[in-house]
Amino acid sequence: MKKQIWLYTIYILFLVMIVSVLLVFSSKEDRVFVIACDVGQGDAFLIQKKNIQIVIDGGKGSRVVDCLSKYIPFWDREIELVVSTQPDLDHYEGLIAVFKSYDIKNYLSTSLSSNAKSFELLTSLIKSENPKMINANSGLVLNIKNIFLEVLHPTFVDDRNSENNQSVVILLKYGEFDALFTADIEDAVSDEIANLQSVRSLEYLKVPHHGSKNGLSQKLFDAVGPEVSVISVGKKN
């Protein structure tokens, strides 16, 4: 009797898996979804279109993996692109768990680094997993299944300048949808970005530096005129 119950359970699970696979791959849903993961004081975003995933930052700790597992099917262990915007703990630490949990095909970052042990661990994991390394140079455009990602900043990396102002700024374009991911840039760089014609009248804005008073400039907000603005912030703030 126990064996029959066990076989019946396996059969049901197998059917559920097959139906789930068929639903995913037969779906005509071509929209791009942007998920702001709840990682407390930090940034972590998932961009998803069908079985294509892009992760921008990982927040602090490993909560980002809980977020990803809600939206990425359990059989899909591949992430097409991971972006690390800057070497602050609340942006990169969760990427350690992401690299341990998924096969990362491409990794986009600047040459900035940190002496923190956790950053050294991330660097070691990246070397062992060996994704394609992409330098975040201003003007670079990536096309991932018609999801276009343009690096707007930094124009160059200078260790003498504020790490916040060396953050990678990404403009995502898909059809008529546009989203701007601003990491931790401060108001001086916000003003620079506002001068770009490509950031006018966007649908989605990731407010820089967790809503800090020296992050989003009025000039950038007016230029973007977003329909949705997202602030990724901890309870203490």
Side-chain angles (χ1 to χ4, degrees):
M1 184 66 179
K2 288 183 178 180
K3 185 177 180 181
Q4 288 179 331
I5 294 173
W6 182 79
L7 288 173
Y8 180 75
T9 302
I10 294 296
Y11 176 72
I12 292 298
L13 289 173
F14 180 75
L15 283 179
V16 169
M17 184 181 72
I18 293 297
V19 170
S20 299
V21 170
L22 290 174
L23 284 173
V24 169
F25 287 98
S26 64
S27 172
K28 297 185 184 299
E29 181 59 84
D30 282 330
R31 287 187 295 172
V32 161
F33 295 87
V34 178
I35 296 103
C37 293
D38 181 5
V39 292
Q41 183 72 23
D43 279 4
F45 292 85
L46 169 66
I47 294 99
Q48 180 159 274
K49 174 192 170 187
K50 291 188 176 180
N51 63 333
I52 302 297
Q53 290 92 26
I54 298 164
V55 172
I56 300 178
D57 285 334
K60 195 175 179 180
S62 59
R63 288 168 62 179
V64 62
V65 172
D66 295 332
C67 173
L68 300 184
S69 65
K70 291 178 182 178
Y71 300 98
I72 302 176
F74 67 88
W75 61 84
D76 185 356
R77 308 314 297 171
E78 183 174 288
I79 293 176
E80 280 64 32
L81 174 68
V82 165
V83 178
S84 178
T85 63
Q86 59 128 305
D88 275 357
L89 197 67
D90 58 348
H91 288 258
Y92 77 77
E93 189 179 34
L95 297 181
I96 294 170
V98 174
F99 268 92
K100 288 181 177 179
S101 304
Y102 294 91
D103 177 21
I104 311 303
K105 306 308 292 181
N106 300 280
Y107 182 72
L108 174 69
S109 69
T110 68
S111 59
L112 292 176
S113 63
S114 166
N115 293 324
K117 292 293 184 183
S118 54
F119 193 84
E120 292 176 2
L121 175 56
L122 175 61
T123 302
S124 176
L125 277 171
I126 292 169
K127 288 180 179 178
S128 64
E129 296 298 323
N130 196 31
K132 180 180 178 182
M133 304 296 290
I134 305 171
N135 292 323
N137 296 321
S138 177
L140 173 71
V141 179
L142 300 177
N143 180 358
I144 302 176
K145 299 293 184 180
N146 293 323
I147 302 171
F148 292 90
L149 301 166
E150 181 180 358
V151 177
L152 303 182
H153 189 78
T155 51
F156 64 94
V157 174
D158 184 349
D159 294 334
R160 296 170 298 176
N161 288 341
S162 161
E163 282 189 355
N164 289 337
N165 277 334
Q166 297 296 320
S167 297
V168 179
V169 177
I170 296 280
L171 176 63
L172 180 149
K173 287 179 167 292
Y174 180 75
E176 297 182 356
F177 175 76
D178 304 282
L180 184 63
F181 298 90
T182 56
D184 276 0
I185 59 170
E186 297 173 0
D187 47 13
V189 175
S190 284
D191 281 347
E192 282 184 33
I193 301 296
N195 292 326
L196 301 175
Q197 191 63 35
S198 58
V199 303
R200 302 300 168 91
S201 303
L202 308 184
E203 283 71 39
Y204 187 101
L205 172 66
K206 202 294 289 192
V207 174
H209 208 187
H210 318 290
S212 169
K213 64 181 180 180
N214 67 341
L216 176 64
S217 70
Q218 186 67 49
K219 185 177 179 180
L220 180 60
F221 185 77
D222 291 343
V224 173
E227 294 181 16
V228 175
S229 297
V230 173
I231 301 175
S232 187
V233 67
K235 289 183 178 180
K236 67 179 182 179
N237 289 330

